[in-house]
């Protein structure tokens, strides 16, 4: 397999191999299919008026996913994509590790939004990505996180008149009993 990948890369320098692209396509389609099927079944719990839009969007999307899955199934023998996915799951792919790290940061952001609200989470997330991940200087990281959070606050609260979620801590001190 390594000889085939090397020959493919020699023909297309700097571009991912067709086997890697095929493996990525299979993984992406699988994730999208799971999300759309889950959302489709969740739409059954909505009232009829509210469920029309999701059904109108997701019914053709499910058809397109099925057609694309069939296309991938027909050409699956051309690529050793199972080995590529297995190697990525074992941690042998640096790009997959980077993407997994970024996904972990987004999950952390989501949890922080629930607890502390959008503004505190955005400020923390931007600061940590600039200072800890990108290794920027502390002053620049603090300044940019504060300025961008202020800009987002002004844009949403004043310009768009949209109140972003304040978080469970704010709601608790505002008198709501969320705990």
């Amino acid at each position: 397999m390594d000889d085939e990948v090397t020959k493919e890369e020699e023909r297309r320098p700097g571009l991912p191999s067709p086997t890697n692209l095929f493996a990525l396509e299979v993984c992406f389609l699988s994730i999208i299919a799971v999300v759309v099927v889950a959302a489709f079944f969740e739409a059954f719990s909505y009232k009829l008026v509210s469920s029309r839009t999701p059904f109108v969007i997701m019914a053709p999307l499910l058809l397109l996913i099925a057609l694309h899955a069939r296309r991938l199934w027909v050409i699956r023998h051309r690529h050793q994509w199972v080995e590529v996915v297995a190697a990525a799951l074992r941690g042998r792919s640096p790009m997959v590790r980077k993407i997994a790290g970024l996904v972990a940061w987004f999950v952390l952001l989501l949890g922080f939004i629930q607890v502390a609200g959008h503004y505190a989470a955005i400020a923390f997330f931007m600061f940590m990505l600039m200072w800890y991940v990108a290794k920027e200087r502390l002053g620049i990281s603090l300044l940019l996180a504060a300025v961008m959070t202020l800009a987002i606050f002004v844009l949403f609260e004043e310009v768009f008149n949209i109140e972003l979620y304040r978080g469970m801590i704010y709601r608790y001190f505002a008198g709501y009993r969320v705990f």
Side-chain angles (χ1 to χ4, degrees):
M1 183 181 127
D2 290 333
D3 293 334
E4 293 173 12
V5 172
T6 306
K7 290 176 186 174
E8 287 177 357
E9 290 172 354
E10 286 175 1
R11 282 183 266 143
R12 301 169 26 153
L15 296 174
S17 71
T19 300
N20 286 349
L21 290 175
F22 185 84
L24 179 65
E25 198 169 352
V26 168
C27 292
F28 179 75
L29 188 67
S30 301
I31 292 168
I32 293 297
V34 167
V35 169
V36 171
V37 167
F40 187 80
F41 285 116
E42 180 63 28
F44 281 112
S45 67
Y46 300 166
K47 292 181 181 178
L48 182 60
V49 173
S50 301
S51 67
R52 284 187 300 191
T53 303
F55 285 134
V56 166
I57 293 170
M58 286 186 284
L61 186 57
L62 285 171
L63 177 65
L64 290 173
I65 289 170
L67 290 173
H68 192 64
R70 184 185 178 286
R71 179 188 140 315
L72 292 176
W73 181 259
V74 169
I75 64 170
R76 74 189 183 284
H77 65 280
R78 296 183 196 167
H79 305 282
Q80 290 82 24
W81 62 276
V82 175
E83 290 87 5
V84 172
V85 172
L89 291 175
R90 277 190 242 111
R92 294 188 182 154
S93 173
M95 285 305 291
V96 172
R97 283 197 306 266
K98 288 179 183 179
I99 291 169
L102 187 60
V103 168
W105 278 104
F106 282 128
V107 170
L108 178 67
L109 173 67
L110 182 63
F112 204 72
I113 286 173
Q114 289 295 316
V115 174
H118 277 96
Y119 300 117
I122 288 170
F124 175 76
F125 184 71
M126 283 194 294
F127 170 74
M128 289 304 290
L129 283 181
M130 285 185 284
W131 181 66
Y132 182 73
V133 176
K135 307 291 188 225
E136 284 292 332
R137 291 180 306 197
L138 180 64
I140 294 289
S141 299
L142 285 170
L143 179 68
L144 281 175
V147 168
M148 290 309 299
T149 304
L150 180 64
I152 291 170
F153 174 79
V154 169
L155 183 67
F156 277 91
E157 298 288 332
E158 302 301 324
V159 176
F160 296 144
N161 199 23
I162 297 173
E163 182 179 319
L164 294 181
Y165 181 65
R166 302 278 195 242
M168 291 171 51
I169 294 171
Y170 173 82
R171 292 175 58 86
Y172 179 77
F173 286 114
Y176 297 96
R177 296 297 164 217
V178 292
F179 296 111

